[in-house]
């Protein structure tokens, strides 16, 4: 019998760049809460009367994978880089949340003679991602000394503590400011929803994941509507295939069709220009607040 007395716990970052992003995402998915000063929990209305209460649990971002693995929280919002670093067995990624994109890179001074990862042999590598770093060095058959730190890794070469670093890169401005260059990219990461492999309350977890998925898709897509002559309809549908398929309706004006389709936000300007070139008229873009597909 599942333990329905214990609240359903969602671990979210208590501070830092992901904290507000996570709160906004959960709010848009209908999970609204207010954190009282520095409280550890904030209660959300249950999704259904019979459900246990849902507690948003405010944690260090890097602790969320471990606490999910230990069963202290049922779902967690954290960085997939931190999931890789935690390297725990009982969790899985349920959903990419379309935010917090970044890379983990091996970086060396701009003036360094190092050209390939093998040139790092015997070097000191400073990082706050020791597990990922050791795995990377092993994969490349390189023995190096990993200097484990909790932050401000980018200054360790200048401090004479390291010959290279493994750190997160988003815009590259920290590297430039410290006269560092990327030797190799270990991986790309983003913010994810994680869950225990054996869910305590799977129905609630599924419902929350579906709500978040609706918001994530709505943020990534926009709705495009336009009118197009029959002769160009097939070409236009190829430009706007939609999430599954476009909606097409005959217009009163003979030989013309109205098309409505979801288009990736990142592509919509180019799509509108291609439709215009095809002879489409009344091309309208509408934001999608939420969706279920
Ligand atoms: N430029 C970035 N620097 C650090 N983390 C980033 C960056 N871009 C995205 N992220 C994501 O945010 C996570 C770090 O969030 P977290 O809140 O722990 O640290 P933070 O926002 O850097 O705050 P602080 O480092 O001050 O604790 C990373 O693990 C990564 O998934
Ligand atoms: O490529 P960029 O856009 O410069 O971002 C990467 C930098 O951002 C993070 O540091 P953060 O700002 O989180 O400070 P921290 O070192 O205290 O975590 C990360 O540790 C890098 O140093
Ligand atoms: Mg940081």
């Amino acid at each position: 019998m599942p333990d329905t007395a214990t609240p359903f716990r969602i671990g979210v970052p208590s501070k830092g760049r992901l904290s507000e992003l996570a709160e906004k995402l959960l709010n848009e998915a209908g999970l609204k809460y207010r954190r009282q000063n520095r409280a550890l929990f904030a209660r959300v209305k249950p999704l259904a009367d019979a459900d246990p209460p849902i507690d948003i649990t405010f944690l260090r971002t890097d602790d969320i994978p471990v606490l999910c693995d230990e069963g202290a929280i049922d779902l967690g919002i954290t960085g997939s880089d931190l999931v890789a670093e935690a390297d725990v067995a009982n969790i899985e990624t349920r959903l990419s949340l379309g935010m917090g994109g970044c890379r983990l890179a091996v970086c060396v001074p701009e003036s360094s003679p190092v050209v390939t990862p093998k040139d790092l042999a015997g070097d000191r590598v400073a990082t706050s991602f020791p597990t990922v770093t050791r795995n990377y060095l092993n994969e490349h058959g390189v023995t190096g000394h990993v200097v484990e730190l909790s932050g401000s890794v980018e200054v360790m070469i200048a401090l004479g503590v390291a010959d290279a670093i493994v750190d997160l890169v988003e815009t590259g401005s920290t590297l430039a400011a410290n006269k560092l260059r990327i030797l190799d990219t270990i991986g790309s990461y983003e913010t994810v929803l994680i869950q225990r492999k054996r869910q305590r309350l799977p129905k609630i977890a599924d419902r929350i994941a579906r709500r978040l998925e609706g918001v994530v898709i709505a943020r990534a897509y926009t709705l495009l509507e336009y009118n197009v002559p029959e002769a160009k309809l097939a070409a236009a549908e190829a430009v706007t295939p939609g999430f599954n398929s476009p909606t097409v309706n005959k217009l009163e004006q003979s030989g013309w069709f109205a098309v409505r389709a979801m288009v990736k936000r990142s592509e919509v300007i180019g799509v509108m220009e291609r439709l215009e070139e095809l002879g489409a008229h009344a091309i309208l873009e509408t934001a999608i607040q939420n969706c279920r597909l």
Side-chain angles (χ1 to χ4, degrees):
M1 189 63 185
D3 158 20
T4 53
T6 310
F8 186 92
R9 292 205 179 106
I10 307 173
V12 304
S14 56
K15 64 169 185 62
R17 68 192 73 229
L18 299 189
S19 172
E20 278 178 36
L21 292 173
E23 179 173 2
K24 193 166 180 304
L25 180 69
L26 287 163
N27 283 352
E28 287 175 22
L31 294 156
K32 298 186 187 309
Y33 58 91
R34 194 171 333 106
R35 184 180 186 185
Q36 303 297 342
N37 48 60
R38 294 180 57 80
L40 179 61
F41 299 105
R43 184 137 300 178
V44 176
K45 219 164 29 67
L47 299 184
D49 294 345
D51 284 350
I54 295 176
D55 275 355
I56 303 297
T57 313
F58 301 102
L59 304 163
R60 277 183 57 89
T61 319
D62 51 1
D63 287 341
I64 286 173
V66 172
L67 292 169
C68 194
D69 182 65
E70 293 293 329
I73 54 177
D74 300 282
L75 291 174
I77 293 178
T78 186
S80 55
D81 50 309
L82 297 172
V83 175
E85 179 59 23
D87 193 21
V88 286
N90 301 319
I91 65 172
E92 60 194 358
T93 296
R94 177 74 192 251
L95 193 59
S96 290
L97 299 177
M99 58 192 193
C102 57
R103 290 172 288 160
L104 262 178
V106 185
C107 309
V108 293
E110 286 167 352
S111 57
S112 164
V114 169
V115 176
T116 71
K118 286 230 180 293
D119 298 339
L120 292 171
D123 279 359
R124 298 162 302 164
V125 184
T127 184
S128 44
F129 293 88
T131 302
V132 170
T133 301
R134 287 194 176 94
N135 291 344
Y136 173 84
L137 294 174
N138 292 340
E139 279 157 26
H140 288 80
V142 172
T143 307
H145 172 54
V146 175
V147 181
E148 297 187 27
L149 298 156
S150 55
S152 303
V153 167
E154 63 279 0
V155 301
M156 293 306 150
I157 295 173
L159 277 182
V161 168
D163 309 293
I165 65 168
V166 167
D167 197 15
L168 288 168
V169 179
E170 189 183 352
T171 63
S173 52
T174 301
L175 294 184
N178 290 278
K179 297 196 180 335
L180 301 174
R181 62 178 168 83
I182 292 178
L183 171 71
D184 195 7
T185 296
I186 296 179
S188 296
Y189 302 91
E190 63 179 322
T191 308
V192 291
L193 178 73
I194 59 173
Q195 67 178 17
R196 293 202 86 210
K197 283 179 181 161
R198 285 183 50 250
Q199 267 298 316
R200 182 171 66 95
L201 295 163
K203 284 194 173 58
I204 300 181
D206 291 348
R207 206 161 158 194
I208 291 170
R210 280 291 285 164
R211 285 187 176 203
L212 292 173
E213 186 180 40
V215 175
V216 170
I217 292 173
R219 287 176 172 185
Y221 283 82
T222 193
L223 196 59
L224 216 48
E225 299 173 276
Y226 58 89
N227 299 336
V228 68
E230 186 164 9
K232 297 291 185 184
L233 179 58
E237 287 186 78
V239 174
T240 59
F243 198 88
N244 297 314
S245 101
T247 303
V248 179
N249 293 299
K250 273 176 87 67
L251 283 180
E252 280 301 301
Q253 184 183 355
S254 72
W256 278 78
F257 287 80
V259 181
R260 191 175 61 178
M262 287 174 72
V263 174
K264 281 195 178 143
R265 255 183 223 281
S266 55
E267 300 169 0
V268 72
I269 299 296
V271 165
M272 290 175 92
E273 287 168 341
R274 294 213 316 269
L275 289 172
E276 201 173 19
E277 285 157 15
L278 278 174
H281 289 178
I283 306 170
L284 307 176
E285 178 188 0
T286 313
I288 302 169
Q289 191 63 37
N290 203 334
C291 69
R292 292 297 168 99
L293 302 177

